[in-house]
Each structure stands twice: as C-alpha cells, then as structure tokens.
Amino acid sequence: FTLKNGHKVDAEHIIVSGDKVSEQTVVHYLNPRNQEALDENSMGDILEQIKQRGVDTEGIAIRKDGIYHLIEGSRRRYCCIKLSTDLPLWVLPNDISNEDIFSIISAAQSSRKLSYREVGLQYQKLMEDNNFTTNEQLAQYIGISTESVRKRIQAALIDVRLVNLFPDCEGIPN
C-alpha cells in the first residue's frame, strides 16, 4: 500500500473465518461509516451477492491486541457476521498514522460513497482530536476546500431523529 506521504508498506493477507468475524474484528474508530445504519435494507446492494459468492474484495485493517480493526470494509464485515461468511483482509502494520488511515479510507470509497453526514461526523472528530476551532483549519489540514468541510459539518449537525426517518438514511449521498 502507498501511504499519504508516498511511503510504501507491505500488508499481510489473512482470512477471518465466518464464525469468528464478530469476535476477531471491530470497526476502526476512524472509519466514518455509520454502523447503526447498517441493516438488511441498507445492505441490500451487497448482502445477496456475498451470500451467493462470498466476499470478493478484501477489507483493510490493522491488528491491535489480537483484534483486527477495520479501516475499510465495515459493510462487508456486517454481511459476514449476518451470513457466517469468511472475511478476507489486508492487514497493514499497526504503526501507520491516523492521516494515513484517513487517506486509505478516502481512497477506498468505490463501492458506496460515504454520505456527507458520515464524513461530517468524522470531520468533527478530526477537529476535536487536532484542537481545530475553524473549518478553515481542517480544510487546510486535509487539503480540501473550506466549503466542502462546511457542507459536511452541517450535515453532521442535523438532528439524528430527523435523519432516522429515512430508510437507509446513509444511502442519501448529500
């Protein structure tokens, strides 16, 4: 894998047995996918495919204290737990930086883009972790426009009771 600064790291390929996925894996705290929004309805686009063929695209994780922390692949993890299906993973060295993890998450958004709300919740955490007080500071830190940050932060501020009125609320891109 090529990290944000261009440094390359090797990853180990492993397969977590379907009956062990729930106990041997967790979702990494920087993974912004809203785990509470994962259900059979929101997973309809991949649940049946995984049931028939298994997982054909590896997740990405780091290993800490014997547990695989999924940087990318929480939707597949959900399906594997639901179906007792094996979960293939690329396991990166556990000493990569949070900035590298964030860049891997951004690069991996090919199957279902994160909603503005999911990204905004992650941005709020990044602001807190880095003691940023303005959207401008965060925008400069991650290298995007201030307006992009503002829109996503605004989406994160919507009352969760309103958001939850929509089936598959995280499927609404913006």
Side-chain angles (χ1 to χ4, degrees):
F1 281 79
T2 302
L3 303 180
K4 186 174 182 175
N5 64 4
H7 177 70
K8 294 185 186 272
V9 295
D10 290 330
E12 175 187 6
H13 188 265
I14 61 109
I15 297 176
V16 179
S17 172
D19 61 340
K20 303 274 188 209
V21 173
S22 65
E23 64 190 58
Q24 291 184 354
T25 67
V26 296
V27 177
H28 193 281
Y29 75 94
L30 288 179
N31 184 320
R33 181 76 65 198
N34 180 359
Q35 300 305 301
E36 293 175 13
L38 301 183
D39 59 22
E40 288 189 44
N41 183 42
S42 68
M43 303 307 294
D45 60 330
I46 65 169
L47 192 61
E48 189 60 33
Q49 172 188 335
I50 290 174
K51 183 177 183 179
Q52 292 178 8
R53 295 189 338 218
V55 176
D56 55 10
T57 304
E58 293 86 350
I60 304 169
I62 59 173
R63 186 175 182 174
K64 287 186 180 178
D65 301 321
I67 302 292
Y68 299 100
H69 295 251
L70 272 73
I71 295 168
E72 203 281 321
S74 67
R75 297 178 76 231
R76 281 164 274 168
R77 177 184 183 270
Y78 172 92
C79 292
C80 288
I81 291 170
K82 184 96 176 141
L83 301 169
S84 293
T85 301
D86 294 350
L87 177 62
L89 296 173
W90 285 111
V91 182
L92 298 170
N94 66 1
D95 62 348
I96 64 173
S97 71
N98 286 349
E99 292 156 295
D100 287 326
I101 290 171
F102 181 69
S103 71
I104 290 168
I105 290 168
S106 295
Q109 295 310 307
S110 59
S111 64
R112 181 171 179 168
K113 288 208 168 281
L114 296 168
S115 70
Y116 275 27
R117 181 174 175 77
E118 288 172 309
V119 174
L121 292 167
Q122 180 186 37
Y123 285 1
Q124 287 178 320
K125 177 149 183 38
L126 280 170
M127 287 182 77
E128 181 182 313
D129 291 349
N130 291 287
N131 296 316
F132 295 150
T133 57
T134 67
N135 291 344
E136 290 80 9
Q137 290 171 306
L138 180 62
Q140 184 175 14
Y141 177 72
I142 58 179
I144 64 171
S145 74
T146 302
E147 184 63 13
S148 292
V149 169
R150 185 196 65 75
K151 288 177 182 178
R152 286 150 182 87
I153 294 284
Q154 191 65 37
L157 296 173
I158 297 171
D159 189 316
V160 71
R161 294 172 297 174
L162 177 60
V163 172
N164 287 336
L165 291 175
F166 295 92
D168 189 16
C169 59
E170 298 303 346
I172 303 169
N174 45 354

